[in-house]
Amino acid sequence: MTVLIKGGTVVNADRSFRADILCENGLVSAIQETIEASKNVTVVDAGGQYVMPGGIDPHTHMQLPFMGTVTSEDFETGTAAGLAGGTTMIIDFVIPGPQQDVMEAYHQWREWAEKSVSDYSFHVAITWWDDTVNKAMGTLVNEYGVNSFKHFMAYKGAIMADDEILVSSFTRAIELGAIVTVHAENGDLVFRLQQKLFEQGLTGPEGHPLSRPPQCEGEAANRAIRIAEVLGVPLYVVHNSCRQSLEAITRARNEGQRVFGEVLAGHLLVDDSVYRDEDFEVAAAHVMSPPFRSKEHQEALWHGLQSGNLQTTATDHCCFCADQKAAGKDDFRLIPNGTAGIENRMEVLWHHGVGTGRLTMNEFVAVTSTNAAQIFNVYPRKGSIAVGSDADIVVWDPEATKTISAKTHHQKIDYNIFEGMTVKGCASHTLSQGKVLFANGKLDVERGAGRHINRPAFAPYYDALQRQALQAEPTPVRR
Ligand code: URP
Ligand code: ZN
Ligand code: ZN
């Protein structure tokens, strides 16, 4: 299929300019001020619209077995919902159970993901440690295009990685040229607080945020950062929800450390009053970790994004419907943790970011696409509109308005955390591999058309880190 996107303004992370774009064989083949349409070319009229790199959501959980159930959204429906919102690539997570063979888990997730309708890649979680895990990390990096390893510092008794695991895995990651990522919450503290609150009779969802205060997150973020600093490994902190973790990242970056931070659209826009809703279904629908925070934290997170101390936006798309959330009706600790958002991330960020002047359009592209592509080393194949890049493109209508609702969204979940929010600016067309898969509200996708995207090790920042390490090498005292 050859597609010509005509009449729009190209918006990349570095600049904006008027141009037509030709997409052939899945790639961008030409970008010129004017390209005439030849025969057999599908023309997308982008007049008055912006043409941007497709969004990359670096944090999703499709078809995840978690807390006694499996997310309602799988790779096919989830990637389709992403396309409806302008997102053309996800980075999901392989999460081996405690003691599960890492390669077995990896192959299982790869099989599940084969039905994706757009491109995908995987971070792999390190949930336990022995020689086989050490070896698997090498295999994954050298043979399977994995360059990032995730560590859950929470979920004690399940997938939590303690400090010993962090140290072992971080050390191995440096040898391999991979980046390490953490879910930063002090799992021991959370466990204690959960027990205490439950014993005090606080059994409802309002107990969830109380058991996971911002201090638990700030402490864990700081601990992971300092461990990474000592070992000299690049670190990416996922879903920062509070001032405390942002401050830990900012401090480290000010000291020259290679630390990156992600923020979720939900944490920027939804506050913790949702947990005090009298309707269990509403409160439980918002149970995710870290929890939604007060407005003071939301403001801090916006500032983090504006200052560049937080570089990426994600959703942590992890769908559980009301019947699944009901497992925790009498005990908040049993409510499956997770909320949705892949379809809405770009439009809510545009509306509340670009629309309010907090972000420029170019910064919007950086935080929704380019920065993730660079950090996870798939740039400029992804995250840029350039000749030779994958033709993963969103045509963005800045004048279109829409009111978000679970009644109309494509996500396979019966609730939307942005329910009733009216946004101005949304995707009119989304192209993946040069094909128009979403146009004017309609999806036209093909099961299995998505590809696994290999991400090579030794991203450009690794070179800088290695030079730094050489400078700091200790010299023995000669006696
Ligand atoms: O509540 C959440 N975030 N569920 C998904 C797993 C995780 O912690 O990312
Ligand atoms: Zn997490
Ligand atoms: Zn997650």
Side-chain angles (χ1 to χ4, degrees), residues 59-61 64 93 95 150 152 155 183 238-239 262 264 288-289 315-318:
H59 188 157
T60 65
H61 301 280
L64 174 69
F93 295 83
I95 308 182
K150 167 81 174 282
F152 291 93
Y155 306 123
H183 165 137
V238 308
H239 54 36
E262 167 192 284
L264 307 183
M288 66 158 303
S289 299
T315 57
D316 199 358
H317 188 80
C318 186

Side-chain angles (χ1 to χ4, degrees), residues 136-463:
M137 286 177 73
T139 308
L140 288 165
V141 171
N142 295 320
E143 296 175 31
Y144 290 93
V146 172
N147 71 13
S148 50
F149 294 96
K150 167 81 174 282
H151 306 79
F152 291 93
M153 298 170 79
Y155 306 123
K156 186 178 167 67
I159 53 176
M160 182 171 113
D162 61 17
D163 287 0
E164 198 177 341
I165 298 177
L166 296 188
V167 171
S168 302
S169 171
F170 285 17
T171 305
R172 179 69 169 137
I174 308 165
E175 290 170 5
L176 296 166
I179 184 167
V180 294
T181 83
V182 289
H183 165 137
E185 283 185 302
N186 184 315
D188 290 312
L189 261 174
V190 169
F191 185 75
R192 277 296 176 95
L193 290 172
Q194 285 180 324
Q195 306 280 85
K196 189 168 156 225
L197 288 159
F198 191 76
E199 279 159 20
Q200 287 171 342
L202 231 155
T203 59
E206 65 279 16
H208 179 72
L210 299 175
S211 69
R212 314 181 92 99
Q215 291 87 341
C216 280
E217 187 179 336
E219 184 282 325
N222 194 59
R223 182 158 35 101
I225 287 168
R226 293 308 165 191
I227 294 172
E229 180 190 18
V230 171
L231 297 174
V233 68
L235 172 71
Y236 177 94
V237 183
V238 308
H239 54 36
N240 290 277
S241 74
C242 63
R243 176 177 55 74
Q244 285 83 342
S245 59
L246 170 62
E247 282 174 357
I249 291 172
T250 305
R251 205 160 42 237
R253 288 177 64 85
N254 285 342
E255 291 166 3
Q257 197 180 334
R258 206 58 70 167
V259 180
F260 305 103
E262 167 192 284
V263 61
L264 307 183
H267 282 137
L268 287 165
L269 295 164
V270 178
D271 71 57
D272 58 355
S273 59
V274 292
Y275 298 116
R276 296 186 288 280
D277 199 292
E278 284 177 8
D279 183 344
F280 170 84
E281 278 195 12
V282 174
H286 291 90
V287 166
M288 66 158 303
S289 299
F292 297 111
R293 306 288 192 192
S294 66
K295 292 196 185 308
E296 170 224 337
H297 292 286
Q298 287 177 27
E299 205 47 37
L301 295 174
W302 276 112
H303 293 159
L305 212 47
Q306 290 172 273
S307 64
N309 285 309
L310 299 175
Q311 299 76 33
T312 63
T313 57
T315 57
D316 199 358
H317 188 80
C318 186
C319 295
F320 297 108
C321 291
D323 57 334
Q324 296 173 288
K325 294 274 184 179
K329 188 90 185 85
D330 304 314
D331 183 347
F332 71 86
R333 297 170 299 181
L334 303 179
I335 301 171
N337 285 204
T339 56
I342 193 167
E343 186 170 349
N344 309 118
R345 176 182 67 126
M346 296 187 64
E347 59 207 18
V348 300
L349 273 158
W350 178 276
H351 182 85
H352 292 276
V354 180
T356 58
R358 282 170 167 138
L359 300 174
T360 66
M361 291 193 292
N362 307 94
E363 286 166 344
F364 171 83
V365 170
V367 302
T368 55
S369 181
T370 311
N371 291 349
Q374 290 179 333
I375 293 168
F376 295 111
N377 211 18
V378 284
Y379 183 84
R381 176 177 181 184
K382 306 285 187 187
S384 176
I385 295 186
V387 173
S389 293
D390 282 359
D392 285 5
I393 293 173
V394 57
V395 181
W396 197 262
D397 184 349
E399 295 303 323
T401 60
K402 137 178 189 189
T403 300
I404 297 169
S405 174
K407 291 194 185 80
T408 48
H409 70 198
H410 297 82
Q411 301 172 136
K412 216 170 155 204
I413 182 172
D414 52 8
Y415 195 84
N416 192 309
I417 57 168
F418 305 113
E419 184 72 33
M421 184 186 284
T422 299
V423 289
K424 186 172 176 206
C426 35
S428 68
H429 297 76
T430 311
L431 284 77
S432 166
Q433 299 177 49
K435 293 193 177 127
V436 181
L437 301 189
F438 176 76
N440 302 315
K442 292 218 166 20
L443 279 166
D444 179 14
V445 296
E446 186 193 333
R447 180 180 165 97
R451 304 163 298 181
H452 176 264
I453 301 297
N454 286 334
R455 294 177 295 116
F458 293 103
Y461 46 78
Y462 241 93
D463 185 46

Side-chain angles (χ1 to χ4, degrees), residues 70-92:
V70 179
T71 54
S72 50
E73 186 96 277
D74 66 23
F75 283 89
E76 180 180 3
T77 59
T79 48
L83 289 171
T87 289
T88 51
M89 179 178 169
I90 61 168
I91 313 182
D92 207 275

